[in-house]
Amino acid sequence: MDEAEHQRQTDDAYRAVGRYVVEFSRLIFHIRFAVARRLTQPGDGPLLGEMALGEATADPIANAFFGMCRVTKELDADEQKVASKLRKDVKAAIKARNDVAHGDWWVGLALEGTETIHDPIVIRIHPDRSNGPVDLKELTAGELDGMSESLVQLRNLVVEFGEICLGPDEQTHLPAGVHVRDIFVIEGPKKSPKVVRKGPMAGSTDVVQYW
């Protein structure tokens, strides 16, 4: 492998890691902003609420968000399942982000006699891990991009769920009085359910991409 090709593949791995970190940051921004907006008095803007949460880490921000959603909006049993599944998905995203952000990365290791580099490796050490302290993952740039796309999809679901529960901003696409069950349902097998936008009113409201 010549030097230029090695650099191209290495740069693509760096790009994919960076994109993932950015997409995760946007997920947590929207969760934090929804909480801040709900806690701020009319006319003040969300900055005061943002200041209270500005140095909080992702997990307590998510806990506050989903807790407030449950308290503010009276959720029925099916809606509680939607909230629980979204919270579980956010928790999994936080764990994955921690591995990406805090792990030891090995990127650009050349494979002898080939025109490709070794898949990027990330290693985390968990001293109390039951199956050994070393957690090693190999993640291709394509896999990292797939993780980023999953974050975008999760972000869209979580932000819209938050708008329903905590109150929309001025530019919302949602009708007044909408409930979680009107937009979201759980589908799929018990072991791997998914939150999907297939409620009775989902087809009559725009699908919004929250950047």
Side-chain angles (χ1 to χ4, degrees), residues 21 24-25 30 52-53 68 92 101 124 128 136 148 155 162 187 192:
V21 172
F24 180 86
S25 76
H30 280 290
L53 297 170
M68 287 174 60
R124 291 206 72 190
D128 62 345
L136 183 151
S148 293
R155 180 171 73 223
E187 73 171 16
S192 56

Side-chain angles (χ1 to χ4, degrees), residues 14-209:
Y14 287 141
R15 174 203 58 76
V17 172
R19 180 193 173 198
Y20 177 83
V21 172
V22 170
E23 295 295 3
F24 180 86
S25 76
R26 300 305 299 168
L27 169 67
I28 299 304
F29 160 77
H30 280 290
I31 292 175
R32 188 184 68 240
F33 186 79
V35 172
R37 189 182 64 219
R38 183 65 179 80
L39 293 176
T40 307
Q41 294 183 9
D44 283 345
L47 180 58
L48 291 177
E50 287 264 41
M51 289 170 65
L53 297 170
E55 295 185 339
T57 56
D59 204 49
I61 290 173
N63 287 340
F65 173 82
F66 285 101
M68 287 174 60
C69 286
R70 285 189 166 97
V71 168
T72 305
K73 195 81 167 178
E74 198 168 318
L75 304 180
D76 64 21
D78 288 335
E79 292 172 327
Q80 290 279 5
K81 291 177 182 177
V82 169
S84 294
K85 182 62 174 75
L86 289 175
R87 177 66 184 100
K88 183 178 179 181
D89 290 346
V90 169
K91 198 172 187 67
I94 292 171
K95 182 181 182 303
R97 190 292 306 260
N98 288 344
D99 289 341
V100 170
H102 302 301
D104 299 323
W105 281 92
W106 298 87
V107 178
L109 300 176
L111 293 173
E112 188 175 352
T114 73
E115 291 300 310
T116 59
I117 63 172
H118 196 290
D119 291 340
I121 298 170
V122 60
I123 300 172
R124 291 206 72 190
I125 305 299
H126 300 284
D128 62 345
R129 191 165 174 258
S130 60
N131 54 342
V134 179
D135 183 10
L136 183 151
K137 294 184 178 71
E138 295 184 11
L139 295 169
T140 66
E143 287 171 331
L144 284 162
D145 282 334
M147 291 166 64
S148 293
E149 291 297 333
S150 295
L151 281 177
V152 172
Q153 295 171 17
L154 178 60
R155 180 171 73 223
N156 289 335
L157 294 173
V158 169
V159 176
E160 192 169 27
F161 171 81
E163 286 193 345
I164 294 170
C165 293
L166 301 180
D169 62 25
E170 295 78 9
Q171 300 178 9
T172 185
H173 62 292
L174 296 167
V178 67
H179 293 275
V180 172
R181 62 181 175 272
D182 295 326
I183 305 296
F184 297 115
V185 298
I186 296 277
E187 73 171 16
K190 272 190 174 182
K191 289 188 176 180
S192 56
K194 297 189 303 183
V195 175
V196 293
R197 209 175 177 280
K198 290 186 178 179
M201 293 179 62
S204 59
T205 58
D206 295 333
V207 177
V208 176
Q209 299 296 319

